[in-house]
Amino acid sequence: MDVEDVVRHIVESYEGVHSVEHGGDWFFFYGPDGDVDMTRTFPFATVVTGDHGETVSNLAADGAYRLNLGLTKASYVERFGPPPTERDDAGVLRTGADYAARDRLVPNPFYASQYWVGVVNPSRRTFDDEVRPLLDEAYGFAGRKHDNRAARAER
């Protein structure tokens, strides 16, 4: 799959998604009311298309990109165990994962401690079998957070 396939899938498959492209990277926010305060809302998924100051995933390689997803704590821990807390000198979380591996779901090199995962250049099979269910989860989790914020604002 290429970047365009992933972006198209996210935009076309989920209602209330707002996508923002910046510098070739994509950020996907949930906002069913049509208005997303992006200064106060974290995306539920991102697509990073270049190294942009980090080289751990080798995203400078031709056609390389990393799809990142924010999971629930339970889902992250079930798949990868407790979130990492230690970083190397470059700020990369120490998880033991090969962050440059292609087509393999791994903890996110910078946001795994917040239950984020990533996959560099997923194949169609990996996307369909592993990533799509987690993308559904990330979208659903973003919806629940949105609804909770809205309920608190009404009080």
Side-chain angles (χ1 to χ4, degrees), residues 36-145:
V36 177
D37 181 356
M38 292 178 208
T39 62
R40 300 183 67 176
T41 305
F42 209 67
F44 68 89
T46 67
V47 175
V48 179
T49 60
D51 283 339
H52 310 298
E54 65 95 348
T55 58
V56 69
S57 297
N58 194 26
L59 298 179
D62 191 35
Y65 69 95
R66 185 179 62 234
L67 170 62
N68 303 294
L69 308 169
L71 304 182
T72 64
K73 178 181 180 179
S75 182
Y76 179 93
V77 169
E78 178 183 321
R79 184 172 291 269
F80 297 106
T85 57
E86 295 182 23
R87 295 180 185 269
D88 68 13
D89 293 340
V92 176
L93 286 162
R94 295 179 192 269
T95 64
D98 177 359
Y99 295 124
R102 302 303 192 240
D103 197 30
R104 185 179 312 146
L105 190 69
V106 298
N108 182 281
F110 299 96
Y111 299 105
S113 57
Q114 288 131 340
Y115 319 117
W116 278 69
V117 298
V119 57
V120 177
N121 291 65
S123 65
R124 171 58 71 179
R125 183 176 184 174
T126 297
F127 187 85
D128 289 344
D129 294 349
E130 285 189 77
V131 175
R132 189 184 308 225
L134 295 177
L135 188 54
D136 292 346
E137 176 187 322
Y139 171 78
F141 187 40
R144 290 190 302 278
K145 289 190 288 190

